[in-house]
Amino acid sequence: MTIESIATLENSASKVPSPLPSTRELFVGFLTLGMIGFGGVLPLARRMIVEQRRWLTPAQFTDMLGLCQCLPGGNIINLSVAIGLHFRGVAGALASLLGLIAAPSAVVIALGVIYQRFQDNPSVQHLFAGLAAAASGLLIAMALKMLMPILKKPLPLLIACLFFVSIGLLRLPLLPTMLILAPLSIIAIWKLPS
Amino acid sequence: MSDTLLALATIFSQLSLLAFGGGNTILPEMQRQVVDIHHWMSPQEFSAMFALAQAAPGPNMMVVTLVGWHVAGWPGVLVTSLAKFGPSSILTGVILHLWQRFKDKPWRATIQVGMVPMTVGLVGASAALITEASTRTWGLAVIAAVCALIAYKSKVHPLWILAAGALLGLSGIGQV
């Protein structure tokens, strides 16, 4: 082994915080995350990936999450794909993604079966009606929390209202609405700083 | 049957690539497709499925799996999951390679900031539609309002709020 190749090896090793996770470890890691992540997986994901298993440094994690947030799809879903791909290529990406959605898929289908079987029972109807109302309350709270930071900025607020009216009230299809409004929104915020 | 699966694949692969800002932004379009256009379920059933998905662990887009299962059973689950998670994952993989190159370019931040108002508007629209379908009686409207207030004001775990809502619902108060 030449000195150069040893130097390269050490160099690449120093960039990696811990031994590379195997495909199996990626699957198990994200499977665990999918099982315990009630209500929001992201804080748990950071703890597992950065603090416990040390797959990524804090800076790497933030950078990857930044990427995943600008792409379509759930950011934790995209993050699992990005991390899997980063360490083990396509096989790693598949292992991470399948691990993440395996347990939640099973649970959600089980809940669906229960709901369908007991749909005609008045008590069960009331129970699920209450659950649905509570879930809509959570969504309202989330929308309000997201609205607060832009409430006093006229331009972003106007753009948010445009999207709300066209999708929520006029029920326009999403694809053409987005193709027109999203570039306008980016240009407006870029050219007219508020 | 295969027409249904094809429709599911078309709808969810499109939604997969439109879900900027996370899954909740595409709920209105999903509801429009499965309720208004394809008549696979009522708005109330859609809201119930959304609620079930919220009560399950994991990423918040599990409503997709449930819709697939409701419409076409196990093949539906497979098709919707592939269609929902496939295209956005492939895009993530492709962009990941380009990412490092454009890391410090200012336009990246511009796009990110420019899309925030869109996300806010779309999540607001989701909240309006889901609430409209799931609060048909005054009792349910009260549950939604109280849960919204608690979730907004406090840091109570969402699962407790869902459980409290389900229990209040079980009492049947204001649901006649």
Side-chain angles (χ1 to χ4, degrees), chain A residues 37-38 63 67 72-73 78 85 104-105 108 113 116 126 128 130 137 145 148 156 160 163-164 171 173-174 178 185, chain B residues 18-19 28-29 31-32 52 57-58 62 66 70 92-93 99 114 117-118 121 124-125 148 151-152 165 169 175:
Chain A
F38 278 98
D63 184 50
L67 163 74
N78 291 343
L85 206 59
S105 297
V108 97
V113 171
Q116 260 192 351
H126 285 159
F128 279 107
K145 280 180 191 170
M148 278 309 140
F163 271 101
F164 179 81
R171 314 262 14 222
L174 186 60
M178 236 182 196
S185 159
Chain B
L18 290 179
E29 177 72 7
Q31 198 210 41
R32 200 178 72 90
L52 288 179
M62 301 318 296
L66 208 46
H70 177 88
T92 301
W99 181 243
M118 176 179 92
Y152 183 71
Q175 283 197 54

mmCIF file of all heavy atoms in Angstrom, chain A residues 37-38 63 67 72-73 78 85 104-105 108 113 116 126 128 130 137 145 148 156 160 163-164 171 173-174 178 185, chain B residues 18-19 28-29 31-32 52 57-58 62 66 70 92-93 99 114 117-118 121 124-125 148 151-152 165 169 175:
data_model
loop_
_atom_site.group_PDB
_atom_site.id
_atom_site.type_symbol
_atom_site.label_atom_id
_atom_site.label_comp_id
_atom_site.label_asym_id
_atom_site.label_seq_id
_atom_site.Cartn_x
_atom_site.Cartn_y
_atom_site.Cartn_z
ATOM 1 N N GLY A 37 -42.137 6.789 16.370
ATOM 2 C CA GLY A 37 -42.373 8.192 16.038
ATOM 3 C C GLY A 37 -43.843 8.563 15.955
ATOM 4 O O GLY A 37 -44.416 8.657 14.889
ATOM 5 N N PHE A 38 -44.462 8.797 17.124
ATOM 6 C CA PHE A 38 -45.853 9.247 17.122
ATOM 7 C C PHE A 38 -45.908 10.758 16.973
ATOM 8 O O PHE A 38 -45.232 11.475 17.711
ATOM 9 C CB PHE A 38 -46.553 8.864 18.429
ATOM 10 C CG PHE A 38 -47.052 7.454 18.436
ATOM 11 C CD1 PHE A 38 -46.316 6.463 19.035
ATOM 12 C CD2 PHE A 38 -48.254 7.131 17.816
ATOM 13 C CE1 PHE A 38 -46.762 5.156 19.040
ATOM 14 C CE2 PHE A 38 -48.707 5.834 17.819
ATOM 15 C CZ PHE A 38 -47.958 4.841 18.434
ATOM 16 N N ASP A 63 -27.557 19.873 6.774
ATOM 17 C CA ASP A 63 -27.447 20.089 5.331
ATOM 18 C C ASP A 63 -28.393 19.158 4.565
ATOM 19 O O ASP A 63 -29.121 19.576 3.668
ATOM 20 C CB ASP A 63 -26.002 19.850 4.900
ATOM 21 C CG ASP A 63 -25.804 20.148 3.426
ATOM 22 O OD1 ASP A 63 -26.226 21.235 2.996
ATOM 23 O OD2 ASP A 63 -25.260 19.297 2.709
ATOM 24 N N LEU A 67 -31.859 20.040 2.250
ATOM 25 C CA LEU A 67 -32.164 19.544 0.903
ATOM 26 C C LEU A 67 -33.547 18.901 0.879
ATOM 27 O O LEU A 67 -34.372 19.200 0.019
ATOM 28 C CB LEU A 67 -31.115 18.509 0.480
ATOM 29 C CG LEU A 67 -31.480 17.612 -0.698
ATOM 30 C CD1 LEU A 67 -31.401 18.388 -1.995
ATOM 31 C CD2 LEU A 67 -30.588 16.396 -0.777
ATOM 32 N N PRO A 72 -40.205 17.840 -3.002
ATOM 33 C CA PRO A 72 -41.547 17.347 -2.676
ATOM 34 C C PRO A 72 -41.466 16.061 -1.857
ATOM 35 O O PRO A 72 -40.489 15.332 -1.961
ATOM 36 C CB PRO A 72 -42.183 17.101 -4.036
ATOM 37 C CG PRO A 72 -41.056 16.944 -4.985
ATOM 38 C CD PRO A 72 -39.937 17.778 -4.447
ATOM 39 N N GLY A 73 -42.497 15.792 -1.072
ATOM 40 C CA GLY A 73 -42.533 14.573 -0.258
ATOM 41 C C GLY A 73 -42.275 14.911 1.197
ATOM 42 O O GLY A 73 -41.764 15.982 1.510
ATOM 43 N N ASN A 78 -37.901 11.674 2.639
ATOM 44 C CA ASN A 78 -36.772 12.039 1.780
ATOM 45 C C ASN A 78 -35.443 11.852 2.502
ATOM 46 O O ASN A 78 -34.467 11.422 1.914
ATOM 47 C CB ASN A 78 -36.908 13.496 1.322
ATOM 48 C CG ASN A 78 -38.062 13.669 0.352
ATOM 49 O OD1 ASN A 78 -38.545 12.711 -0.216
ATOM 50 N ND2 ASN A 78 -38.500 14.903 0.183
ATOM 51 N N LEU A 85 -29.034 6.254 0.581
ATOM 52 C CA LEU A 85 -28.292 6.403 -0.671
ATOM 53 C C LEU A 85 -26.847 6.819 -0.401
ATOM 54 O O LEU A 85 -25.914 6.330 -1.025
ATOM 55 C CB LEU A 85 -28.997 7.471 -1.509
ATOM 56 C CG LEU A 85 -28.835 7.426 -3.026
ATOM 57 C CD1 LEU A 85 -29.331 6.108 -3.581
ATOM 58 C CD2 LEU A 85 -29.597 8.585 -3.657
ATOM 59 N N PRO A 104 -45.643 1.613 10.326
ATOM 60 C CA PRO A 104 -46.813 2.488 10.226
ATOM 61 C C PRO A 104 -47.862 1.985 9.221
ATOM 62 O O PRO A 104 -49.052 2.123 9.473
ATOM 63 C CB PRO A 104 -46.216 3.819 9.755
ATOM 64 C CG PRO A 104 -44.818 3.807 10.203
ATOM 65 C CD PRO A 104 -44.391 2.379 10.141
ATOM 66 N N SER A 105 -47.417 1.382 8.110
ATOM 67 C CA SER A 105 -48.381 0.853 7.135
ATOM 68 C C SER A 105 -49.221 -0.229 7.779
ATOM 69 O O SER A 105 -50.452 -0.266 7.621
ATOM 70 C CB SER A 105 -47.662 0.270 5.911
ATOM 71 O OG SER A 105 -46.952 1.271 5.242
ATOM 72 N N VAL A 108 -51.679 1.287 10.368
ATOM 73 C CA VAL A 108 -52.748 2.077 9.776
ATOM 74 C C VAL A 108 -53.779 1.159 9.099
ATOM 75 O O VAL A 108 -54.988 1.402 9.156
ATOM 76 C CB VAL A 108 -52.121 3.139 8.830
ATOM 77 C CG1 VAL A 108 -52.126 2.703 7.389
ATOM 78 C CG2 VAL A 108 -52.799 4.472 8.991
ATOM 79 N N VAL A 113 -59.077 -1.638 9.175
ATOM 80 C CA VAL A 113 -59.905 -2.845 9.269
ATOM 81 C C VAL A 113 -60.897 -2.714 10.424
ATOM 82 O O VAL A 113 -62.091 -2.999 10.274
ATOM 83 C CB VAL A 113 -59.021 -4.104 9.461
ATOM 84 C CG1 VAL A 113 -59.864 -5.324 9.773
ATOM 85 C CG2 VAL A 113 -58.181 -4.347 8.217
ATOM 86 N N GLN A 116 -63.637 -0.237 9.500
ATOM 87 C CA GLN A 116 -64.626 -0.758 8.549
ATOM 88 C C GLN A 116 -65.553 -1.791 9.184
ATOM 89 O O GLN A 116 -66.745 -1.805 8.912
ATOM 90 C CB GLN A 116 -63.920 -1.359 7.334
ATOM 91 C CG GLN A 116 -63.940 -0.373 6.180
ATOM 92 C CD GLN A 116 -63.527 -0.977 4.865
ATOM 93 O OE1 GLN A 116 -63.058 -2.109 4.791
ATOM 94 N NE2 GLN A 116 -63.696 -0.207 3.803
ATOM 95 N N HIS A 126 -69.290 7.355 16.954
ATOM 96 C CA HIS A 126 -69.041 8.544 17.759
ATOM 97 C C HIS A 126 -67.562 8.686 18.088
ATOM 98 O O HIS A 126 -67.004 9.775 18.038
ATOM 99 C CB HIS A 126 -69.865 8.494 19.062
ATOM 100 C CG HIS A 126 -71.310 8.772 18.834
ATOM 101 N ND1 HIS A 126 -72.301 8.395 19.721
ATOM 102 C CD2 HIS A 126 -71.955 9.390 17.814
ATOM 103 C CE1 HIS A 126 -73.473 8.775 19.248
ATOM 104 N NE2 HIS A 126 -73.286 9.382 18.089
ATOM 105 N N PHE A 128 -64.942 7.536 16.419
ATOM 106 C CA PHE A 128 -64.146 7.955 15.266
ATOM 107 C C PHE A 128 -64.486 9.378 14.829
ATOM 108 O O PHE A 128 -63.626 10.099 14.328
ATOM 109 C CB PHE A 128 -64.295 6.972 14.103
ATOM 110 C CG PHE A 128 -63.434 5.752 14.256
ATOM 111 C CD1 PHE A 128 -63.992 4.514 14.575
ATOM 112 C CD2 PHE A 128 -62.058 5.835 14.119
ATOM 113 C CE1 PHE A 128 -63.194 3.394 14.737
ATOM 114 C CE2 PHE A 128 -61.257 4.720 14.275
ATOM 115 C CZ PHE A 128 -61.822 3.489 14.583
ATOM 116 N N GLY A 130 -65.211 11.769 16.928
ATOM 117 C CA GLY A 130 -64.435 12.586 17.867
ATOM 118 C C GLY A 130 -62.964 12.612 17.491
ATOM 119 O O GLY A 130 -62.315 13.661 17.529
ATOM 120 N N GLY A 137 -58.587 19.550 14.528
ATOM 121 C CA GLY A 137 -58.103 20.580 15.450
ATOM 122 C C GLY A 137 -56.582 20.693 15.424
ATOM 123 O O GLY A 137 -56.032 21.794 15.408
ATOM 124 N N LYS A 145 -49.809 27.984 13.584
ATOM 125 C CA LYS A 145 -48.404 28.145 13.964
ATOM 126 C C LYS A 145 -47.549 28.518 12.753
ATOM 127 O O LYS A 145 -46.594 29.274 12.876
ATOM 128 C CB LYS A 145 -47.868 26.846 14.576
ATOM 129 C CG LYS A 145 -48.265 26.667 16.030
ATOM 130 C CD LYS A 145 -47.719 25.369 16.583
ATOM 131 C CE LYS A 145 -48.330 25.063 17.936
ATOM 132 N NZ LYS A 145 -48.003 23.705 18.390
ATOM 133 N N MET A 148 -48.288 32.374 11.808
ATOM 134 C CA MET A 148 -47.806 33.445 12.686
ATOM 135 C C MET A 148 -46.580 34.196 12.165
ATOM 136 O O MET A 148 -46.579 35.424 12.137
ATOM 137 C CB MET A 148 -47.533 32.891 14.091
ATOM 138 C CG MET A 148 -48.775 32.776 14.943
ATOM 139 S SD MET A 148 -49.693 34.325 14.952
ATOM 140 C CE MET A 148 -51.365 33.730 14.871
ATOM 141 N N PRO A 156 -45.846 37.973 1.660
ATOM 142 C CA PRO A 156 -46.021 36.535 1.916
ATOM 143 C C PRO A 156 -47.447 36.188 2.353
ATOM 144 O O PRO A 156 -47.987 35.154 1.947
ATOM 145 C CB PRO A 156 -45.023 36.255 3.047
ATOM 146 C CG PRO A 156 -43.983 37.299 2.904
ATOM 147 C CD PRO A 156 -44.703 38.516 2.406
ATOM 148 N N ALA A 160 -49.908 33.533 0.571
ATOM 149 C CA ALA A 160 -50.521 32.429 1.328
ATOM 150 C C ALA A 160 -52.043 32.453 1.138
ATOM 151 O O ALA A 160 -52.664 31.408 0.927
ATOM 152 C CB ALA A 160 -50.159 32.547 2.805
ATOM 153 N N PHE A 163 -53.113 31.081 -2.293
ATOM 154 C CA PHE A 163 -53.106 29.622 -2.318
ATOM 155 C C PHE A 163 -54.311 29.070 -1.550
ATOM 156 O O PHE A 163 -54.977 28.140 -1.993
ATOM 157 C CB PHE A 163 -51.808 29.070 -1.724
ATOM 158 C CG PHE A 163 -50.728 28.907 -2.740
ATOM 159 C CD1 PHE A 163 -49.711 29.832 -2.847
ATOM 160 C CD2 PHE A 163 -50.724 27.825 -3.605
ATOM 161 C CE1 PHE A 163 -48.708 29.698 -3.781
ATOM 162 C CE2 PHE A 163 -49.725 27.674 -4.548
ATOM 163 C CZ PHE A 163 -48.714 28.625 -4.637
ATOM 164 N N PHE A 164 -54.588 29.675 -0.395
ATOM 165 C CA PHE A 164 -55.702 29.203 0.429
ATOM 166 C C PHE A 164 -57.015 29.294 -0.343
ATOM 167 O O PHE A 164 -57.794 28.355 -0.392
ATOM 168 C CB PHE A 164 -55.784 30.029 1.722
ATOM 169 C CG PHE A 164 -56.913 29.627 2.617
ATOM 170 C CD1 PHE A 164 -56.784 28.522 3.446
ATOM 171 C CD2 PHE A 164 -58.118 30.324 2.610
ATOM 172 C CE1 PHE A 164 -57.834 28.130 4.263
ATOM 173 C CE2 PHE A 164 -59.176 29.931 3.424
ATOM 174 C CZ PHE A 164 -59.026 28.831 4.257
ATOM 175 N N ARG A 171 -61.385 25.300 -4.908
ATOM 176 C CA ARG A 171 -61.101 23.896 -5.205
ATOM 177 C C ARG A 171 -60.512 23.689 -6.589
ATOM 178 O O ARG A 171 -60.892 22.776 -7.306
ATOM 179 C CB ARG A 171 -62.370 23.037 -5.023
ATOM 180 C CG ARG A 171 -63.133 23.297 -3.768
ATOM 181 C CD ARG A 171 -62.857 22.337 -2.634
ATOM 182 N NE ARG A 171 -61.689 21.497 -2.760
ATOM 183 C CZ ARG A 171 -61.665 20.223 -2.438
ATOM 184 N NH1 ARG A 171 -62.728 19.628 -1.994
ATOM 185 N NH2 ARG A 171 -60.565 19.528 -2.541
ATOM 186 N N PRO A 173 -57.658 22.605 -9.321
ATOM 187 C CA PRO A 173 -56.674 21.512 -9.301
ATOM 188 C C PRO A 173 -55.285 22.019 -8.915
ATOM 189 O O PRO A 173 -54.908 23.137 -9.290
ATOM 190 C CB PRO A 173 -56.683 20.984 -10.736
ATOM 191 C CG PRO A 173 -57.619 21.804 -11.509
ATOM 192 C CD PRO A 173 -58.295 22.789 -10.618
ATOM 193 N N LEU A 174 -54.537 21.200 -8.190
ATOM 194 C CA LEU A 174 -53.264 21.640 -7.604
ATOM 195 C C LEU A 174 -52.173 21.895 -8.652
ATOM 196 O O LEU A 174 -51.451 22.880 -8.567
ATOM 197 C CB LEU A 174 -52.788 20.596 -6.582
ATOM 198 C CG LEU A 174 -51.548 20.936 -5.769
ATOM 199 C CD1 LEU A 174 -51.731 22.186 -4.954
ATOM 200 C CD2 LEU A 174 -51.172 19.778 -4.850
ATOM 201 N N MET A 178 -50.259 25.379 -8.966
ATOM 202 C CA MET A 178 -48.878 25.465 -8.516
ATOM 203 C C MET A 178 -47.956 25.953 -9.621
ATOM 204 O O MET A 178 -47.058 26.754 -9.386
ATOM 205 C CB MET A 178 -48.424 24.086 -8.064
ATOM 206 C CG MET A 178 -47.921 24.064 -6.664
ATOM 207 S SD MET A 178 -47.385 22.407 -6.338
ATOM 208 C CE MET A 178 -47.315 22.483 -4.592
ATOM 209 N N SER A 185 -44.780 33.399 -6.786
ATOM 210 C CA SER A 185 -44.461 33.580 -5.380
ATOM 211 C C SER A 185 -42.957 33.756 -5.174
ATOM 212 O O SER A 185 -42.504 34.662 -4.462
ATOM 213 C CB SER A 185 -44.990 32.370 -4.605
ATOM 214 O OG SER A 185 -44.344 32.226 -3.387
ATOM 215 N N LEU B 18 -45.836 16.794 -6.216
ATOM 216 C CA LEU B 18 -46.389 18.120 -5.911
ATOM 217 C C LEU B 18 -46.328 18.442 -4.428
ATOM 218 O O LEU B 18 -46.663 19.547 -4.021
ATOM 219 C CB LEU B 18 -47.849 18.200 -6.371
ATOM 220 C CG LEU B 18 -48.090 18.223 -7.879
ATOM 221 C CD1 LEU B 18 -49.574 18.275 -8.171
ATOM 222 C CD2 LEU B 18 -47.390 19.414 -8.510
ATOM 223 N N ALA B 19 -45.908 17.464 -3.614
ATOM 224 C CA ALA B 19 -45.999 17.642 -2.163
ATOM 225 C C ALA B 19 -44.855 18.477 -1.613
ATOM 226 O O ALA B 19 -44.131 18.050 -0.724
ATOM 227 C CB ALA B 19 -46.047 16.282 -1.472
ATOM 228 N N PRO B 28 -55.877 18.670 0.176
ATOM 229 C CA PRO B 28 -57.035 19.143 -0.594
ATOM 230 C C PRO B 28 -57.132 18.480 -1.967
ATOM 231 O O PRO B 28 -58.222 18.082 -2.385
ATOM 232 C CB PRO B 28 -56.782 20.648 -0.731
ATOM 233 C CG PRO B 28 -55.888 20.991 0.397
ATOM 234 C CD PRO B 28 -55.025 19.784 0.613
ATOM 235 N N GLU B 29 -55.984 18.358 -2.651
ATOM 236 C CA GLU B 29 -56.016 17.746 -3.983
ATOM 237 C C GLU B 29 -56.347 16.254 -3.880
ATOM 238 O O GLU B 29 -57.098 15.712 -4.674
ATOM 239 C CB GLU B 29 -54.661 17.952 -4.679
ATOM 240 C CG GLU B 29 -54.523 17.297 -6.045
ATOM 241 C CD GLU B 29 -55.342 17.976 -7.144
ATOM 242 O OE1 GLU B 29 -55.929 19.045 -6.881
ATOM 243 O OE2 GLU B 29 -55.396 17.432 -8.256
ATOM 244 N N GLN B 31 -58.185 14.861 -1.582
ATOM 245 C CA GLN B 31 -59.612 14.782 -1.297
ATOM 246 C C GLN B 31 -60.431 15.048 -2.559
ATOM 247 O O GLN B 31 -61.399 14.364 -2.846
ATOM 248 C CB GLN B 31 -59.989 15.796 -0.203
ATOM 249 C CG GLN B 31 -61.318 15.478 0.451
ATOM 250 C CD GLN B 31 -62.040 16.720 0.931
ATOM 251 O OE1 GLN B 31 -62.057 17.735 0.241
ATOM 252 N NE2 GLN B 31 -62.626 16.654 2.103
ATOM 253 N N ARG B 32 -60.013 16.061 -3.352
ATOM 254 C CA ARG B 32 -60.712 16.393 -4.593
ATOM 255 C C ARG B 32 -60.729 15.175 -5.523
ATOM 256 O O ARG B 32 -61.750 14.834 -6.110
ATOM 257 C CB ARG B 32 -59.994 17.563 -5.279
ATOM 258 C CG ARG B 32 -60.827 18.336 -6.294
ATOM 259 C CD ARG B 32 -60.023 19.496 -6.864
ATOM 260 N NE ARG B 32 -58.982 19.036 -7.766
ATOM 261 C CZ ARG B 32 -59.145 18.874 -9.084
ATOM 262 N NH1 ARG B 32 -60.302 19.168 -9.651
ATOM 263 N NH2 ARG B 32 -58.161 18.428 -9.837
ATOM 264 N N LEU B 52 -57.381 8.460 11.365
ATOM 265 C CA LEU B 52 -56.758 7.171 11.695
ATOM 266 C C LEU B 52 -55.258 7.230 11.435
ATOM 267 O O LEU B 52 -54.453 6.751 12.233
ATOM 268 C CB LEU B 52 -57.372 6.059 10.846
ATOM 269 C CG LEU B 52 -58.790 5.643 11.178
ATOM 270 C CD1 LEU B 52 -59.246 4.557 10.219
ATOM 271 C CD2 LEU B 52 -58.854 5.125 12.601
ATOM 272 N N PRO B 57 -48.350 5.576 14.297
ATOM 273 C CA PRO B 57 -46.989 6.133 14.381
ATOM 274 C C PRO B 57 -46.428 6.385 12.993
ATOM 275 O O PRO B 57 -47.026 6.002 12.003
ATOM 276 C CB PRO B 57 -46.214 5.024 15.072
ATOM 277 C CG PRO B 57 -46.921 3.779 14.688
ATOM 278 C CD PRO B 57 -48.370 4.151 14.597
ATOM 279 N N GLY B 58 -45.282 7.044 12.953
ATOM 280 C CA GLY B 58 -44.550 7.174 11.697
ATOM 281 C C GLY B 58 -44.816 8.456 10.957
ATOM 282 O O GLY B 58 -45.420 9.370 11.488
ATOM 283 N N MET B 62 -49.417 8.510 6.079
ATOM 284 C CA MET B 62 -49.933 7.154 6.026
ATOM 285 C C MET B 62 -51.388 7.103 5.554
ATOM 286 O O MET B 62 -51.916 6.042 5.272
ATOM 287 C CB MET B 62 -49.777 6.465 7.382
ATOM 288 C CG MET B 62 -48.344 6.387 7.879
ATOM 289 S SD MET B 62 -47.135 5.945 6.608
ATOM 290 C CE MET B 62 -47.691 4.305 6.199
ATOM 291 N N LEU B 66 -53.877 4.050 3.516
ATOM 292 C CA LEU B 66 -55.240 3.732 3.920
ATOM 293 C C LEU B 66 -56.225 3.938 2.760
ATOM 294 O O LEU B 66 -57.140 3.136 2.551
ATOM 295 C CB LEU B 66 -55.616 4.626 5.103
ATOM 296 C CG LEU B 66 -56.635 4.110 6.093
ATOM 297 C CD1 LEU B 66 -56.346 2.684 6.491
ATOM 298 C CD2 LEU B 66 -56.649 5.007 7.317
ATOM 299 N N HIS B 70 -58.527 1.025 1.139
ATOM 300 C CA HIS B 70 -59.975 1.202 1.074
ATOM 301 C C HIS B 70 -60.479 1.023 -0.361
ATOM 302 O O HIS B 70 -61.504 0.398 -0.607
ATOM 303 C CB HIS B 70 -60.344 2.595 1.581
ATOM 304 C CG HIS B 70 -61.798 2.918 1.494
ATOM 305 N ND1 HIS B 70 -62.689 2.622 2.496
ATOM 306 C CD2 HIS B 70 -62.532 3.504 0.512
ATOM 307 C CE1 HIS B 70 -63.894 3.008 2.140
ATOM 308 N NE2 HIS B 70 -63.836 3.549 0.937
ATOM 309 N N THR B 92 -35.314 12.815 -4.995
ATOM 310 C CA THR B 92 -34.374 13.095 -3.901
ATOM 311 C C THR B 92 -32.994 12.541 -4.231
ATOM 312 O O THR B 92 -31.978 13.211 -4.049
ATOM 313 C CB THR B 92 -34.876 12.468 -2.583
ATOM 314 O OG1 THR B 92 -36.152 13.015 -2.283
ATOM 315 C CG2 THR B 92 -33.928 12.758 -1.434
ATOM 316 N N GLY B 93 -32.969 11.292 -4.743
ATOM 317 C CA GLY B 93 -31.700 10.660 -5.085
ATOM 318 C C GLY B 93 -30.947 11.442 -6.143
ATOM 319 O O GLY B 93 -29.741 11.674 -6.028
ATOM 320 N N TRP B 99 -26.657 18.401 -5.264
ATOM 321 C CA TRP B 99 -26.814 19.287 -4.103
ATOM 322 C C TRP B 99 -25.510 19.960 -3.709
ATOM 323 O O TRP B 99 -25.437 21.176 -3.583
ATOM 324 C CB TRP B 99 -27.370 18.458 -2.946
ATOM 325 C CG TRP B 99 -27.612 19.206 -1.685
ATOM 326 C CD1 TRP B 99 -27.005 18.993 -0.488
ATOM 327 C CD2 TRP B 99 -28.567 20.241 -1.464
ATOM 328 N NE1 TRP B 99 -27.520 19.828 0.455
ATOM 329 C CE2 TRP B 99 -28.478 20.611 -0.120
ATOM 330 C CE3 TRP B 99 -29.478 20.899 -2.281
ATOM 331 C CZ2 TRP B 99 -29.263 21.603 0.440
ATOM 332 C CZ3 TRP B 99 -30.264 21.892 -1.724
ATOM 333 C CH2 TRP B 99 -30.157 22.238 -0.387
ATOM 334 N N GLY B 114 -39.079 31.572 -0.870
ATOM 335 C CA GLY B 114 -40.224 31.890 -1.722
ATOM 336 C C GLY B 114 -41.340 30.874 -1.625
ATOM 337 O O GLY B 114 -42.501 31.178 -1.915
ATOM 338 N N PRO B 117 -44.661 30.862 1.864
ATOM 339 C CA PRO B 117 -46.068 31.289 1.857
ATOM 340 C C PRO B 117 -46.985 30.264 1.179
ATOM 341 O O PRO B 117 -48.125 30.067 1.614
ATOM 342 C CB PRO B 117 -46.043 32.590 1.053
ATOM 343 C CG PRO B 117 -44.648 33.067 1.103
ATOM 344 C CD PRO B 117 -43.786 31.852 1.204
ATOM 345 N N MET B 118 -46.478 29.612 0.138
ATOM 346 C CA MET B 118 -47.266 28.580 -0.545
ATOM 347 C C MET B 118 -47.615 27.458 0.432
ATOM 348 O O MET B 118 -48.775 27.038 0.535
ATOM 349 C CB MET B 118 -46.452 28.025 -1.715
ATOM 350 C CG MET B 118 -47.119 26.895 -2.431
ATOM 351 S SD MET B 118 -46.119 26.311 -3.820
ATOM 352 C CE MET B 118 -45.184 25.026 -3.008
ATOM 353 N N GLY B 121 -50.297 28.596 2.892
ATOM 354 C CA GLY B 121 -51.625 28.638 2.274
ATOM 355 C C GLY B 121 -52.207 27.252 2.068
ATOM 356 O O GLY B 121 -53.396 27.006 2.316
ATOM 357 N N GLY B 124 -53.198 25.623 5.351
ATOM 358 C CA GLY B 124 -54.443 26.268 5.762
ATOM 359 C C GLY B 124 -55.641 25.690 5.022
ATOM 360 O O GLY B 124 -56.684 25.401 5.625
ATOM 361 N N ALA B 125 -55.485 25.485 3.723
ATOM 362 C CA ALA B 125 -56.569 24.906 2.927
ATOM 363 C C ALA B 125 -56.892 23.486 3.395
ATOM 364 O O ALA B 125 -58.063 23.096 3.489
ATOM 365 C CB ALA B 125 -56.184 24.908 1.445
ATOM 366 N N ALA B 148 -57.781 22.303 18.838
ATOM 367 C CA ALA B 148 -56.949 23.283 18.131
ATOM 368 C C ALA B 148 -56.306 24.230 19.138
ATOM 369 O O ALA B 148 -55.104 24.504 19.087
ATOM 370 C CB ALA B 148 -57.778 24.066 17.117
ATOM 371 N N ALA B 151 -53.622 22.378 21.259
ATOM 372 C CA ALA B 151 -52.425 22.094 20.459
ATOM 373 C C ALA B 151 -51.672 23.373 20.137
ATOM 374 O O ALA B 151 -50.447 23.372 20.025
ATOM 375 C CB ALA B 151 -52.815 21.377 19.163
ATOM 376 N N TYR B 152 -52.402 24.476 20.011
ATOM 377 C CA TYR B 152 -51.752 25.740 19.668
ATOM 378 C C TYR B 152 -51.055 26.352 20.872
ATOM 379 O O TYR B 152 -49.945 26.858 20.781
ATOM 380 C CB TYR B 152 -52.788 26.721 19.101
ATOM 381 C CG TYR B 152 -52.192 28.027 18.657
ATOM 382 C CD1 TYR B 152 -51.395 28.080 17.511
ATOM 383 C CD2 TYR B 152 -52.391 29.190 19.377
ATOM 384 C CE1 TYR B 152 -50.814 29.255 17.096
ATOM 385 C CE2 TYR B 152 -51.809 30.383 18.973
ATOM 386 C CZ TYR B 152 -51.023 30.414 17.835
ATOM 387 O OH TYR B 152 -50.439 31.578 17.430
ATOM 388 N N GLY B 165 -60.018 13.618 22.224
ATOM 389 C CA GLY B 165 -61.065 13.862 21.231
ATOM 390 C C GLY B 165 -61.908 12.625 20.995
ATOM 391 O O GLY B 165 -63.144 12.682 20.931
ATOM 392 N N GLY B 169 -65.797 12.185 21.868
ATOM 393 C CA GLY B 169 -66.678 11.743 20.788
ATOM 394 C C GLY B 169 -67.524 10.564 21.231
ATOM 395 O O GLY B 169 -68.724 10.503 20.983
ATOM 396 N N GLN B 175 -73.843 15.217 19.214
ATOM 397 C CA GLN B 175 -73.618 14.553 17.917
ATOM 398 C C GLN B 175 -74.898 14.058 17.256
ATOM 399 O O GLN B 175 -74.852 13.273 16.327
ATOM 400 C CB GLN B 175 -72.659 13.374 18.077
ATOM 401 C CG GLN B 175 -71.217 13.775 18.202
ATOM 402 C CD GLN B 175 -70.306 12.586 17.942
ATOM 403 O OE1 GLN B 175 -70.401 11.928 16.929
ATOM 404 N NE2 GLN B 175 -69.431 12.297 18.877
#
